[in-house]
Amino acid sequence: MLFFLPGRPYLWMFVAVISLTISILRKVVQPKSQFLHAPAVNHSLLFFGAVVLVTALITGGIRLALFGGSQMGGKKYIYILAAIVAYFALSSQKIPTGRAAFYAILFFLSSLTAVISNLAYMAGPGFYFLYLLFPSEIALDQAMAMERSSNHEMVRINGLAIGCLGGVSALLVNDGIQKLFSWRHLGKFTLLIGMIMASLMGGFRSTLIILCLTLVILFFLEGLHRTTLFPKLILAMGLLGILTVPFVRQLPFSMFFPSMSIPWSGKTPRVQPTGGWRCGKSSDPKLKNISFSEKDISSTPKTFTWQTF
């Protein structure tokens, strides 16, 4: 993070803007240089960016408190627009075919830096200076859960989920499923399973869904459904499910929570607020707005407990 700039933007946003600016200047100086010709992607992103800007205009603007406004909540607009800029910055330079996998692995491994936020909190106040460079909001759920110290509290280690998701993607890019599921790469296979299990500590069902979809799609793209590995994998997954289902409830709540969308998992948690909020529609008309003022934020309850019903 760039802590010395207003709003503390992420470093990747600043780098994306600088990189795209250099690419545009290079295009002016060297007309033969071309951006990636992918009309389906380029036009879709440009249209999406236009929709975001029009939405912000209709709803009263982006509204960034860092410019002195009384309203906040426009940070997500900046994230989306910065991501579009980052795409054009990355696609402005052609990557040699032989180095494509290497750069893809570097891209995914960069997500491991998210773990530093959680490690800094676990290490104590002596390491809080790291939050000048790494986003503290990644460790926010962990800090809130540890402060309440409830036996039923779900401690979400968000950085571990983000980092492991990137680590799994890097492994799949480097080796593919066929190599990872062979006896010659038993160590990498163990690392893959370990990162999948560790990613569940984030407590997000979406992480489990993304991992499952990625593995299934890649499995079929590699044509492994036509090999003998397919029935072996189905049998192994069935046996693993039979052996692990009785012990699922003994797992940490953050690991048990992502599996609650599966029918056999039983009880489903919901948020039971300690203040005046209720699950569903809010009775406060202020909360129906897209953005919130500092007064709105300070007047709403901030303490929540997780209960299982």
Side-chain angles (χ1 to χ4, degrees):
M1 300 186 69
L2 302 178
F3 63 91
F4 50 86
L5 293 179
R8 302 182 64 195
Y10 291 121
L11 178 62
W12 67 265
M13 297 179 178
F14 180 76
V15 173
V17 172
I18 296 298
S19 177
L20 183 60
T21 303
I22 294 175
S23 300
I24 294 175
L25 293 176
R26 180 170 174 264
K27 172 65 176 176
V28 174
V29 177
Q30 300 177 359
K32 292 184 178 180
S33 61
Q34 298 290 334
F35 285 86
L36 177 66
H37 183 69
V41 179
N42 297 345
H43 296 166
S44 298
L45 287 177
L46 291 175
F47 178 77
F48 181 53
V51 171
V52 171
L53 292 175
V54 171
T55 302
L57 181 63
I58 294 175
T59 56
I62 295 181
R63 299 183 180 182
L64 294 175
L66 65 91
F67 292 124
S70 61
Q71 300 290 323
M72 61 181 63
K75 184 170 60 175
K76 303 301 182 183
Y77 289 121
I78 302 299
Y79 286 167
I80 295 174
L81 297 176
I84 296 174
V85 170
Y87 163 78
F88 286 104
L90 289 173
S91 62
S92 63
Q93 183 67 33
K94 185 178 180 180
I95 297 176
T97 305
R99 305 285 289 178
F102 173 72
Y103 287 121
I105 291 173
L106 289 181
F107 174 80
F108 287 120
L109 289 181
S110 64
S111 62
L112 293 176
T113 57
V115 185
I116 297 178
S117 297
N118 294 105
L119 293 178
Y121 177 80
M122 295 172 65
F127 291 86
Y128 287 175
F129 69 92
L130 292 174
Y131 291 131
L132 294 174
L133 302 175
F134 300 95
S136 59
E137 57 264 25
I138 293 180
L140 181 61
D141 289 337
Q142 179 187 12
M144 293 176 63
M146 297 300 292
E147 288 295 329
R148 288 192 287 270
S149 300
S150 173
N151 294 331
H152 301 287
E153 189 67 51
M154 179 173 64
V155 181
R156 278 178 164 168
I157 307 179
N158 300 352
L160 194 59
I162 299 172
C164 289
L165 189 60
V168 170
S169 301
L171 270 179
L172 294 176
V173 170
N174 187 59
D175 298 294
I177 291 183
Q178 188 171 12
K179 287 185 179 180
L180 290 174
F181 281 72
S182 64
W183 290 105
R184 295 181 180 180
H185 297 81
L186 184 60
K188 291 184 178 181
F189 175 77
T190 305
L191 179 61
L192 175 68
I193 298 300
M195 286 193 294
I196 292 176
M197 296 299 296
S199 67
L200 300 181
M201 292 298 295
F204 294 102
R205 297 174 180 175
S206 58
T207 302
L208 180 62
I209 294 173
I210 291 173
L211 287 172
C212 291
L213 287 177
T214 301
L215 292 172
V216 170
I217 292 174
L218 190 58
F219 187 87
F220 279 90
L221 288 177
E222 292 185 12
L224 299 180
H225 59 288
R226 303 188 187 94
T227 65
T228 57
L229 180 62
F230 184 61
K232 294 178 182 179
L233 186 60
I234 294 297
L235 179 61
M237 291 178 62
L239 293 176
L240 181 64
I242 294 174
L243 294 175
T244 57
V245 165
F247 304 100
V248 167
R249 296 181 183 276
Q250 308 302 321
L251 296 173
F253 192 48
S254 58
M255 298 182 69
F256 171 54
F257 183 76
S259 65
M260 289 181 176
S261 57
I262 304 176
W264 48 258
S265 59
K267 299 178 181 179
T268 303
R270 67 182 182 184
V271 177
Q272 180 66 31
T274 58
W277 283 15
R278 297 177 180 175
C279 298
K281 292 185 178 180
S282 172
S283 58
D284 189 350
K286 295 181 180 179
L287 301 180
K288 297 180 181 180
N289 298 328
I290 293 178
S291 62
F292 298 91
S293 66
E294 295 181 4
K295 182 179 179 181
D296 295 331
I297 297 297
S298 61
S299 63
T300 53
K302 300 181 179 62
T303 304
F304 295 88
T305 56
W306 286 93
Q307 296 181 3
T308 304
F309 296 90

